[in-house]
Amino acid sequence: MTKHIFITGGVVSSLGKGLTSASLGMLLESHGLSVRMQKLDPYLNVDPGTMSPYQHGEVYVLDDGSETDLDLGHYERFTNGPLTKNSSWTTGRIYLNVIERERRGEYQGKTVQVVPHVTNEIKRAIRSLNADDADVVITEIGGTVGDIEGQPFLEAIRQFSLDVGKENCIYIHLTLIPFLKAAKELKTKPTQHSVGQLREIGIQPDFLVCRTEQPISRDEIEKIALFCNMPGTNVIEERDCEISIYEVPISLADHGLDRLILERLHLKAKSEPDLSQWYDILQRLKMPERQVTIAVVGKYATHKDAYKSIYESLDHAGISNRAKIRIERIPSDALDRKEVQEKIKATNGILIPGGFGERGVEGKINAIRIARENNIPFLGICLGMQCAVIEYARNVAGLDDANSTEFNAETPHPVISLLAEQRAVKNLGGTMRLGAQPTVLAENSHAAKWYGKREISERHRHRYEFNADYRERLTAAGLMVAGTSPDNRLVEVVEIPQHLWFVAVQYHPEFKSQPTKPHPLFNGFIAAAAQQAVQNAIS
Ligand code: GLN
């Protein structure tokens, strides 16, 4: 029988529910159990694909092309179970299904209601994982208890325990225990209220995970337990991390959460957990041997979550290169300022992430010129690759005013143009070239060297491409086509061979990096940045 764990959040948003869920998934996997992860989001968008990163942070793309919530990135970085479109549901998608069923006449004349029709659809979404072969399914409910949109989800997960039996289902509630500086006290009341709200709906949480800045005393734990109707052992402290988010699983294990959950669910561990790899990661983070500074130049550089997977991937490569990564977040429209140009010239690597729309593009092109002319290691991702092609066309190949037709439909040199299959596309949602696609790498490329193989698969999310009409002119001018689709039609990777490390890719390597398995391109980029830092120090 598959066991279900539901994770809800209370008091405030942004408590790191995704991270806690992913950490728990990783701990259960470390006991030899197979775990599947899933997120239910109460907002009305069908998926986050059309949302601005300012609203919702990065859009995370899966192999199957689903555009999902960034928490799925945490799941993939910490755990190994497969994620598919059924790992990510929103109210919009649930209602779309309900309304389509109604139009097909599937409700047989009934009045269609939130309970039971929407709640049944939510339970179907939970079962859509088809995880009968998995030992545990962890389902995270987005939002905060008390949100109007969240009610049907809470009702559905309450019913779920009746369907599968209480012994097969647990609820974990993540809350905040704020520290009041003036009173020098931790405050438990908001948590009591939040649990009270859950109990009104009929959910008695089995465990509380309490986010806190300060250690929670035994007395306070007992008080929370009493008011929230559970034994003190089930109130788990989750203190703010000192160095890295990769402390979270270790801290939960130190408090015994994994073992308590196994006991409560009558699950037998299949192996003794071995967390040595994670201790090693923490050790490397605590005692780096070098530091490199990387400029991330993007439209959303000031938003903390817009390039989440990129920042994580940089950290992973930092861990393997024993380097502390200092990130300079540079808004691309600031590149017209001299001091900003000087600032990025002084870094050890420049990274341009993906993006959409014209704002800041000239700044990105400017930053790439600085990287190319000063032999500063460069990694371009998606729009970053397209800008690298534009920069090379304008400033090396002499194609004045070269551009992407995304930004200038009238450009004399459309070196980046719309993918043929995109021409008839009208709707914005879910219609880009999305998900895993194969790429064949050129021999002697940096990419082939770092991947250690020539055939790779990476995730995509774009509408525009390197225009094949310009391939000859740009390669003749020295740009290397270092990777293409297997039919050699689409350019997937470009490099500049005589540069220390200049690699730009049409896909998103950041979606396939794990702390325990850093992505080869990020590894190569950081290794080059470390080499550049040494050269800088000597000269
Ligand atoms: N805007 C570009 C395109 O649609 C790049 C997309 C991206 O960077 N994800 O092709």
Side-chain angles (χ1 to χ4, degrees):
M1 178 84 194
T2 304
K3 309 285 183 176
H4 287 266
I5 299 177
F6 292 103
I7 304 196
T8 55
V11 181
V12 290
S13 59
S14 308
L15 283 181
K17 236 185 310 135
L19 201 54
T20 302
S21 308
S23 302
L24 183 56
M26 173 281 211
L27 287 177
L28 295 178
E29 276 188 358
S30 77
H31 286 273
L33 300 171
S34 73
V35 178
R36 302 290 296 275
M37 311 268 323
Q38 181 185 47
K39 171 113 194 242
L40 307 181
D41 261 314
Y43 52 75
L44 275 161
N45 306 60
V46 172
D47 62 42
T50 54
M51 276 167 155
S52 155
Y54 282 123
Q55 285 283 309
H56 199 258
E58 130 189 311
V59 175
Y60 189 82
V61 182
L62 303 180
D63 266 344
D64 71 1
S66 313
E67 298 176 281
T68 71
D69 186 83
L70 57 78
D71 279 328
L72 276 83
H74 289 308
Y75 304 168
E76 283 205 325
R77 287 187 280 272
F78 282 80
T79 66
N80 299 303
L83 296 187
T84 68
K85 67 177 191 307
N86 291 332
S87 317
S88 173
W89 288 82
T90 67
T91 296
R93 198 165 152 216
I94 297 283
Y95 270 80
L96 196 61
N97 279 2
V98 169
I99 290 166
E100 280 171 0
R101 272 183 214 289
E102 187 272 337
R103 293 288 83 182
R104 290 196 297 269
E106 283 182 29
Y107 295 112
Q108 294 169 343
K110 295 218 173 71
T111 307
V112 181
Q113 295 180 297
V114 172
V115 182
H117 301 103
V118 170
T119 47
N120 281 348
E121 198 62 43
I122 295 172
K123 290 196 281 181
R124 201 173 285 135
I126 297 167
R127 290 199 201 91
S128 72
L129 276 184
N130 287 329
D132 292 346
D133 54 336
D135 298 306
V136 185
V137 169
I138 300 179
T139 302
E140 175 191 349
I141 314 296
T144 308
V145 167
D147 294 346
I148 291 176
E149 301 96 330
Q151 300 283 355
F153 289 93
L154 298 177
E155 170 59 17
I157 65 169
R158 179 192 71 77
Q159 293 174 15
F160 205 88
S161 105
L162 300 178
D163 297 352
V164 298
K166 282 195 164 36
E167 66 288 4
N168 296 318
C169 183
I170 59 170
Y171 303 97
I172 300 178
H173 192 51
L174 182 69
T175 74
L176 175 72
I177 310 286
F179 179 73
L180 280 199
K181 280 213 178 79
K184 293 200 181 56
E185 260 179 30
L186 285 169
K187 289 293 178 193
T188 65
K189 190 78 83 193
T191 292
Q192 296 172 35
H193 280 302
S194 174
V195 171
Q197 267 180 313
L198 265 182
R199 290 169 64 193
E200 258 171 47
I201 302 164
I203 296 176
Q204 166 63 52
D206 298 277
F207 294 93
L208 278 184
V209 176
C210 301
R211 286 295 309 273
T212 175
E213 278 174 47
Q214 305 282 337
I216 309 176
S217 71
R218 206 61 243 166
D219 280 357
E220 279 155 339
I221 293 271
E222 290 305 330
K223 180 173 158 196
I224 298 167
L226 186 66
F227 278 101
C228 297
N229 192 31
M230 64 181 66
T233 45
N234 293 13
V235 178
I236 309 286
E237 171 190 296
E238 187 187 315
R239 198 130 29 106
D240 291 356
C241 300
E242 270 170 39
I243 313 168
S244 156
I245 56 168
Y246 298 116
E247 287 167 53
V248 175
I250 305 271
S251 131
L252 294 179
D254 285 348
H255 286 91
L257 181 62
D258 48 342
R259 293 185 192 278
L260 287 164
I261 288 175
L262 294 187
E263 222 169 88
R264 161 69 177 75
L265 286 172
H266 308 290
L267 263 177
K268 272 211 166 42
K270 295 181 184 157
S271 59
E272 258 312 295
D274 175 9
L275 300 181
S276 53
Q277 242 186 335
W278 293 84
Y279 282 109
D280 181 47
I281 287 172
L282 286 189
Q283 188 56 25
R284 284 164 180 254
L285 283 165
K286 261 185 221 158
M287 317 260 281
E289 290 172 5
R290 51 188 73 85
Q291 172 167 303
V292 297
T293 305
I294 303 295
V296 175
V297 182
K299 187 157 124 185
Y300 311 106
T302 48
H303 188 294
K304 127 178 170 316
D305 284 339
Y307 306 124
K308 184 98 195 150
S309 295
I310 288 182
Y311 297 137
E312 293 299 319
S313 304
L314 287 170
D315 274 344
H316 303 162
I319 292 166
S320 61
N321 282 282
R322 295 188 181 274
K324 180 178 167 50
I325 310 286
R326 211 174 65 81
I327 294 176
E328 290 277 9
R329 300 175 184 219
I330 313 277
S332 36
D333 44 14
L335 252 291
D336 49 2
R337 300 210 315 262
K338 194 94 192 113
E339 72 272 18
V340 178
Q341 294 172 11
E342 289 306 320
K343 191 169 179 180
I344 70 164
K345 233 185 240 176
T347 62
N348 310 118
I350 297 177
L351 187 152
I352 314 258
F356 298 84
E358 198 185 353
R359 184 168 68 79
V361 162
E362 291 303 319
K364 292 177 193 174
I365 293 172
N366 221 333
I368 295 167
R369 183 177 194 155
I370 293 173
R372 183 177 54 75
E373 292 181 343
N374 296 281
N375 215 21
I376 302 171
F378 171 75
L379 180 59
I381 293 177
C382 207
L383 180 60
M385 177 263 205
Q386 298 175 358
C387 288
V389 173
I390 298 170
E391 194 279 325
Y392 206 85
R394 286 185 192 172
N395 302 326
V396 183
L399 303 173
D400 290 346
D401 294 324
N403 213 332
S404 163
T405 52
E406 181 179 2
F407 315 125
N408 178 7
E410 308 303 324
T411 168
H413 295 295
V415 289
I416 305 292
S417 60
L418 202 60
L419 282 155
E421 75 236 31
Q422 286 288 322
R423 293 198 185 116
V425 170
K426 295 249 155 26
N427 275 356
L428 283 188
T431 56
M432 284 187 247
R433 178 173 182 244
L434 286 167
Q437 308 281 348
T439 292
V440 178
L441 300 172
E443 240 180 307
N444 303 326
S445 58
H446 283 298
K449 178 181 153 216
W450 280 91
Y451 278 99
K453 56 183 175 185
R454 304 257 319 268
E455 279 167 42
I456 57 162
S457 168
E458 292 281 2
R459 297 179 188 172
H460 292 66
R461 181 169 187 253
H462 65 124
R463 291 185 204 283
Y464 293 82
E465 62 168 335
F466 184 127
N467 182 350
D469 294 346
Y470 284 88
R471 203 159 142 181
E472 240 178 72
R473 262 181 282 182
L474 290 175
T475 45
L479 190 68
M480 176 187 190
V481 170
T484 65
S485 54
D487 62 7
N488 194 24
R489 267 184 351 101
L490 299 179
V491 175
E492 299 279 19
V493 186
V494 297
E495 296 186 8
I496 300 178
Q498 60 278 41
H499 190 283
L500 174 59
W501 211 89
F502 190 106
V503 179
V505 293
Q506 183 56 76
Y507 50 79
H508 290 270
E510 73 274 24
F511 297 143
K512 288 181 71 167
S513 183
Q514 291 183 312
T516 49
K517 264 187 247 134
H519 191 284
L521 286 186
F522 280 88
N523 248 345
F525 175 55
I526 294 304
Q531 189 185 335
Q532 205 260 6
V534 172
Q535 279 167 8
N536 270 6
I538 297 168
S539 59

